[in-house]
Amino acid sequence: QVQLIESGGGLVPAGGSLRLSCAASGRTFSRYAMGWFRQAPGKEREFVAGISWSGDSTYYADSLKGRFTISRDNAKNTGYLQMNSLKSEDTAVYYCAAGRVLVYSVGSRYEYWGQGTRVTVSS
């Protein structure tokens, strides 16, 4: 069992940066792959990034690759999403997820989800 709690969201200007954190409970976080998803107002939930349990493999939505970086520190039971060059289109609630997955971009494959953290990018 894994409990996930996101933090680090807030209001930032366009072009700014923000780092989201995903704190996991227990000692089993390192056994799970992790992903970030987001849901903007009036839009469907979409895949942002994913990372393997070891951190050796990362995956990104094509439109975000180069601006966003996913990472994890298993010793701290924490995952991260570094967001740079933020745009107004990045405004959304961001969710952390964990699970034993083969297809990282499909949200239904993840077993555990955090409550989300809101990111608002002003223009």
Side-chain angles (χ1 to χ4, degrees):
Q1 293 286 326
V2 175
Q3 183 177 9
L4 306 174
I5 301 177
E6 302 96 332
S7 63
L11 176 65
V12 296
S17 298
L18 203 62
R19 188 177 76 160
L20 306 183
S21 296
C22 176
S25 65
R27 297 177 60 84
T28 60
F29 176 67
S30 63
R31 304 180 188 274
Y32 294 90
M34 186 190 74
W36 286 94
F37 294 78
R38 69 184 185 184
Q39 187 166 21
K43 300 182 67 176
E44 300 293 326
R45 183 182 65 187
E46 65 176 341
F47 170 72
V48 174
I51 188 168
S52 63
W53 67 269
S54 65
D56 292 338
S57 300
T58 58
Y59 307 86
Y60 297 92
D62 290 340
S63 62
L64 302 178
K65 188 175 180 63
R67 292 198 298 121
F68 288 15
T69 303
I70 188 172
S71 63
R72 67 191 299 165
D73 187 338
N74 288 338
K76 297 180 178 179
N77 284 339
T78 303
Y80 304 95
L81 181 68
Q82 178 67 47
M83 305 185 293
N84 298 325
S85 301
L86 285 164
K87 307 173 181 179
S88 60
E89 309 94 89
D90 297 319
T91 295
V93 176
Y94 285 72
Y95 298 91
C96 178
R100 294 180 289 273
V101 304
L102 295 177
V103 182
Y104 285 72
S105 62
V106 180
S108 61
R109 300 294 190 266
Y110 292 84
E111 300 174 72
Y112 309 103
W113 291 82
Q115 82 290 342
T117 184
R118 181 175 295 277
V119 173
T120 301
V121 183
S122 61
S123 60

